[in-house]
Amino acid sequence: MSKNMAIVRGLMMAVGSAISMVIGYAWAGPPADYVRVFDDQFTTPTLDTHKWWTRLRENGGTAQSIPSNHEQERYVENAGTHVMTGHSIQLIAQPRAADGTYPSGVIRSKELFDLASGTGFYFEARAKVPGGQGSWPGFWLASDKRPNGSLAWPPEIDIMEFINAGDTDNINTLHCGIQTNGDQKGYKASFTQVVDGFDGVNSKWLTNLDFSAGFHTYALLYKQPNFTIWMDRTLVLSGTYLWVWPDHTPAPAAHVIAQLAVGGTAGRNGITAKFPQVMEIDYIHVYKEASPNSRSRS
């Protein structure tokens, strides 16, 4: 969701071979030797704040938007922005407030996942997204701070986002991919497999689906440097990417983030959505590759 740099350009040039085009790849969920390490079915009466922050990681973990994206939401609590239904959570962007911002909801995991360790991780969410022009729902990963409190960007992996801008970016267009400053320790990130119809220059898949019409499952399998992103049972994008900071040092472990932004890139043609806008999440699961010792005991 950090778009102060353009989405990765030119990654269609995979190292050493042409990109494979795939349709209808059989998705089977997490690998058999992965175990669930994080789970929220959102069945509690209120949001489980032992699991989630309700602000972004900047400003000491209190950030209410990403200013560099020129977004217009303001992430707040106790304003009808995090509604528990008994079986899901609704992140709700409310009508525009007097200060010109849109109160909205974000959840950021307190548990962290060490992608730079070489251990494999699998992330999955089932969600229904809004389609109003100017809304910008996302499900993504960003690194935590260093022990000294410093932050940097990238790395970032976008598992799903919809930039509802009212042009070729709309509710039929799934954005997903990686954010990079170019070479990472001399190893260039690449796309190696994409779904038919995927725009690798802008890292988006143009479809005839109305994603706001129902729930869909969005998933990422990452074992450094390899990643694969699925939507339902379709492999959308696969490639290589190192979880490192711009100075090429291993990045801290990752937060899982789901949010409903407003404006910014999604508002480039104006914000005409009727509010409230709702992103509903049925569950978020994280699985981790089992250690060799735990495999041998099973």
Side-chain angles (χ1 to χ4, degrees), residues 107-207:
I107 52 175
R108 174 172 59 94
S109 68
K110 292 185 175 181
E111 188 162 344
L112 300 170
F113 309 98
D114 190 2
L115 302 189
S117 68
T119 299
F121 287 89
Y122 175 87
F123 304 85
E124 181 180 306
R126 183 173 181 264
K128 182 180 180 182
V129 296
Q133 184 172 315
S135 64
W136 188 357
F139 173 49
W140 56 295
L141 307 179
S143 64
D144 193 35
K145 60 185 179 297
R146 282 185 168 141
N148 65 6
S150 63
L151 281 173
W153 177 89
E156 175 182 333
I157 300 178
D158 297 321
I159 306 171
M160 167 273 281
E161 57 180 350
F162 289 91
I163 302 172
N164 291 311
D167 46 34
T168 57
D169 284 333
N170 54 49
I171 198 56
N172 310 117
T173 306
L174 169 62
H175 282 257
C176 59
I178 55 181
Q179 300 288 340
T180 178
N181 279 336
D183 285 349
Q184 300 174 317
K185 292 186 177 177
Y187 187 95
K188 186 172 286 296
S190 66
F191 293 171
T192 54
Q193 211 171 26
V194 297
V195 69
D196 188 38
F198 192 83
D199 174 357
V201 174
N202 296 294
S203 202
K204 63 185 181 182
W205 180 29
L206 291 79
T207 78

Side-chain angles (χ1 to χ4, degrees), residues 70-128:
H70 307 292
E71 298 169 10
Q72 292 176 248
E73 82 285 342
R74 178 170 49 89
Y75 296 123
V76 295
E77 307 79 27
N78 305 316
T81 53
H82 302 79
V83 174
M84 309 300 290
T85 69
H87 57 81
S88 65
I89 184 172
Q90 294 180 339
L91 303 180
I92 301 180
Q94 297 288 356
R96 189 175 180 178
D99 64 0
T101 66
Y102 297 80
S104 191
V106 59
I107 52 175
R108 174 172 59 94
S109 68
K110 292 185 175 181
E111 188 162 344
L112 300 170
F113 309 98
D114 190 2
L115 302 189
S117 68
T119 299
F121 287 89
Y122 175 87
F123 304 85
E124 181 180 306
R126 183 173 181 264
K128 182 180 180 182

Side-chain angles (χ1 to χ4, degrees), residues 252-286:
H255 296 274
V256 178
I257 303 169
Q259 68 187 74
L260 179 50
V262 178
T265 301
R268 62 178 177 254
N269 297 313
I271 300 173
T272 62
K274 293 182 179 180
F275 288 86
Q277 291 282 294
V278 180
M279 176 182 180
E280 186 169 3
I281 305 169
D282 187 22
Y283 63 79
I284 294 177
H285 297 161
V286 182

